[in-house]
Each structure stands twice: as C-alpha cells, then as structure tokens.
Amino acid sequence: MKFLDQAKVYVRSGDGGAGAVSFRREKFIEFGGPDGGDGGRGGDVWAECVGGLNTLIDYRYQQHFKAKTGGHGMGRDRHGAKGGDVVLKVPVGTQIIEEDGETLIADMVEIGQRVLLAKGGNGGFGNAYFKTSTNQAPRRANPGLPGEEKWLWLRLKLIADAGLVGLPNAGKSTFLARTTAAKPKIADYPFTTLHPGLGVVRIDAREFVLADIPGLIEGAHEGVGLGDRFLGHVERCGVLLHLVDASQDDVVGAWRTVRAELDAYDEALGDKPEIVALSKCELVPEDELAAKARKLKRAAKATPILLSAVTGTGVEAMLRAMATAVETSRAENDESRAATATRIWQPLPRDGDDGRDDDDDDY
C-alpha cells in the first residue's frame, strides 16, 4: 500500500429542496386550501476517524465529494426527503485544515470521532406554511438554500509514542526491523527510507509504537534532500531516539546537524525528551568508540547508549530506556488532559454565590 500523508479535497454539501405550490383539489371539498409541502434539507459532509488506515492514498484518486440535494416538496403536504450525507473516512492522526494551509478545523485523534465539514442547505417552505387568516390561498413558496462548498487540506501525522531521527544511513530502519515486526527497506545507501514507517515494540510486558522517518540533512528545513515535511510524524511522539552513526568521523557534528533541523522546524519538537545512541558500534574499534562516546557526551549533556542493531548490543537497554520515557510522557499527558477537563467543567455558581448581593437584583 502506498503512503500519502497530504491531500487536498473539495467538499460540497447538498442544496435544500424547493417548497411546493399546491392546492387541495378533491371532489365534494369546495375550499381545499394550500397543501404544498416543504423541501428537504441537503446532505451534510462529514469526516470520520476510523481504524485500520495509516495513509491518505484514497484521496489521490478521488478529490471531489458532493452530498445529495434535498428532495422537493409536493402536494398533499408531502415534505421532501433529506439528502444523503457523504462521509470522508480518515486515519487516526489526520488534521483537517482550511485552504489557506494554516487554519486548523479539526484534529482527528480518536477512532469514531466525527466532524461536520459542510452543512447542508435548509429546505424551502411550501405554500402551506404561508397560509394565514388573511391570506388563505398563498401562491408562493421558497427555494431551498444552497449548500456550502470549500477546498480543504488533509494532513496525516502518525500517532506514535517514540520517534527515530538521525542523518541518512544512520541505522534507523535496521533498528526498527530488529525491535519490531515491521519490514522497512534496508540498503547501504542514503535515503533508503522514503516514507515513514511504524512498528510496535514489546519489552518487559510493556509496549509502545515506534515511528521511523526519512533521514535529515543540513538545510532540510529549506527543502534540501527530502526536506522536513516528515517531521510532522514525530510531533506527537513523547520521546525521540536520536541515532548517530559511530562509523563516521564527526559524530558531534552529525548530532548538531539534526538538532539544528529539529529546532528550525519547531522549537517544541527540539524540546522533547531525547535519548542519544551511537549506532553501528560493530564497525568501530573499542578505543575509538570510547573516544567518540566521550565527545558526544560532552556535546549532548547525556551519556550516549552504545548500540548495534546487527549484533543486538545495547538493544534491550535502549528499549527499556525508551519504555520508561514513554510511560513518563503518557503520565504527563494524562495529567494535562485531566487539568484541562477540570478547567472546562467548572461547576456553575449556586444562588447567592455569584458575587452579587441579592438586594441588588431589582430586575
């Protein structure tokens, strides 16, 4: 299945049905009066978050979504039917954005979440609606109101607990394949990974989702290489695993290059908890590896984990450190959501507790 994380779609809700002008004409009934029914409401356009999807590839082949027009009113006080709705099914983590590319409409983060994108037009009134004691035979009816239409951007940001970042060919895909059941493409040349990948890590009866994104190079925030568009997939991660290739000469420069790109993309991304690791340790002699680890420790202000996804050295220690960081991040997020809910659902003041004197209520 091909991966697509951005799509532009056109949505249009249905027009309302027109009201009818009709009079009751029946044998033995002298003054039948108006009996024109109202038009039905136009169909709505919804977005629904569903499970089992991790790409927006469906919206490459269909970009236009139009709901049905409401049914027209008819005689004998028959109202038109409501137009059929259209539902856009999107994967978890999809953001729906206005055409300007900046205004966020909705962030779909829970399965079953539904958002109204375009509301259908109301149906018009039939002439039966306008009858009064002074106008007993109205000969007018309203047309239905037009529906809404707009262009929208769909942007997918994969929801993962931890994210892999680093320069190209730093061993990210090899680590993902070693620790999860994912099968990313692995080769000995840069930019082997062209699309983000996900895998589920299990360690000590704990599990979390790990995301692998294409490598970053200097100037990625300006569009160099594959650019930084895939960094959106690690925005939701609670912890970042920064892999630095131990076989290259300047490990500190490699670490600083990626850190600069993270900060240039979003300062909040650069502030996320980071675990630094030296990968491909099996390719470097022990004394040289120790010297590079000391240099990287001074620069990163943290002790790097020596890692080899090929031989398995340091893999379990890395996974346990990541699992602990993920649990801490989840606990902080739960506390933040609970605090937000408490602020939103404040109890209403009881009578006499609104800060006003009862004697001042002269109205």
Side-chain angles (χ1 to χ4, degrees):
M1 180 171 57
K2 294 183 179 179
F3 182 84
L4 185 68
D5 62 352
Q6 183 168 287
K8 190 176 184 180
V9 296
Y10 169 84
V11 297
R12 192 186 195 288
S13 57
D15 297 336
V21 176
S22 175
F23 293 91
R24 184 181 181 188
R25 301 184 184 277
E26 193 172 339
K27 191 175 182 180
F28 303 124
I29 295 180
E30 185 175 2
F31 301 103
D35 65 352
D38 301 336
R41 193 162 66 87
D44 303 324
V45 180
W46 294 83
E48 181 178 2
C49 187
V50 299
L53 292 178
N54 59 4
T55 176
L56 297 173
I57 191 64
D58 294 339
Y59 300 102
R60 170 172 289 177
Y61 307 108
Q62 181 182 0
Q63 294 88 29
H64 294 76
F65 299 88
K66 300 178 182 179
K68 299 294 184 181
T69 301
H72 300 308
M74 294 176 285
R76 298 185 182 180
D77 289 317
R78 289 176 293 177
H79 301 314
K82 182 183 182 299
D85 295 341
V86 169
V87 180
L88 279 66
K89 296 183 178 181
V90 297
V92 178
T94 301
Q95 291 183 334
I96 303 174
I97 304 173
E98 292 280 6
E99 189 179 7
D100 59 10
E102 298 178 356
T103 306
L104 180 65
I105 297 176
D107 194 0
M108 315 294 283
V109 295
E110 295 181 359
I111 294 178
Q113 181 180 353
R114 284 171 64 95
V115 174
L116 180 63
L117 302 180
K119 184 178 180 180
N122 290 328
F125 293 121
N127 67 333
Y129 176 85
F130 298 103
K131 64 181 179 183
T132 64
S133 59
T134 58
N135 184 15
Q136 299 182 4
R139 297 181 180 275
R140 71 184 185 94
N142 288 346
L145 296 178
E148 302 175 359
E149 59 180 342
K150 62 182 73 173
W151 283 92
L152 299 173
W153 283 102
L154 304 179
R155 290 181 184 170
L156 175 60
K157 294 183 178 180
L158 296 176
I159 295 182
D161 298 305
L164 288 169
V165 295
L167 292 176
N169 226 22
K172 300 184 295 298
S173 297
T174 304
F175 181 79
L176 182 69
R178 173 84 186 201
T179 57
T180 72
K183 294 180 173 56
K185 183 179 179 180
I186 301 173
D188 59 351
Y189 55 85
F191 295 113
T192 307
T193 302
L194 299 178
H195 305 293
L198 289 177
V200 178
V201 179
R202 294 177 177 86
I203 182 73
D204 297 337
R206 296 178 291 180
E207 65 178 35
F208 58 91
V209 180
L210 181 63
D212 173 28
I213 65 169
L216 300 171
I217 62 175
E218 186 175 359
H221 67 282
E222 299 175 350
V224 179
L226 293 179
D228 60 359
R229 56 172 298 192
F230 294 114
L231 282 177
H233 296 290
V234 295
E235 280 187 25
R236 306 179 192 269
C237 295
V239 59
L240 299 179
L241 172 55
H242 189 163
L243 294 184
V244 181
D245 187 356
S247 63
Q248 59 187 356
D249 297 331
D250 188 5
V251 293
V252 175
W255 175 82
R256 286 175 175 165
T257 297
V258 175
R259 291 297 307 177
E261 295 303 322
L262 294 177
D263 293 334
Y265 178 82
D266 189 351
E267 291 184 0
L269 189 58
D271 294 338
K272 286 184 178 293
E274 179 189 50
I275 300 176
V276 182
L278 278 172
S279 62
K280 301 183 181 181
C281 292
E282 74 280 0
L283 302 179
V284 183
E286 292 186 3
D287 54 347
E288 182 181 348
L289 182 62
K292 290 182 177 180
R294 288 193 297 269
K295 292 181 181 179
L296 187 56
K297 180 180 179 180
R298 287 194 296 268
K301 302 296 189 296
T303 302
I305 297 178
L306 305 183
L307 181 67
S308 174
V310 175
T311 64
T313 303
V315 172
E316 288 192 1
M318 169 62 70
L319 295 182
R320 290 191 176 96
M322 293 177 67
T324 301
V326 167
E327 289 180 349
T328 302
S329 175
R330 288 174 178 174
E332 292 176 353
N333 291 337
D334 291 341
E335 292 177 0
S336 176
R337 283 195 292 267
T340 302
T342 302
R343 288 196 300 269
I344 294 175
W345 298 103
Q346 290 290 343
L348 294 174
R350 295 176 296 178
D351 293 340
D353 293 343
D354 55 358
R356 298 181 304 174
D357 294 335
D358 294 338
D359 296 339
D360 294 338
D361 297 338
D362 296 335
Y363 45 89

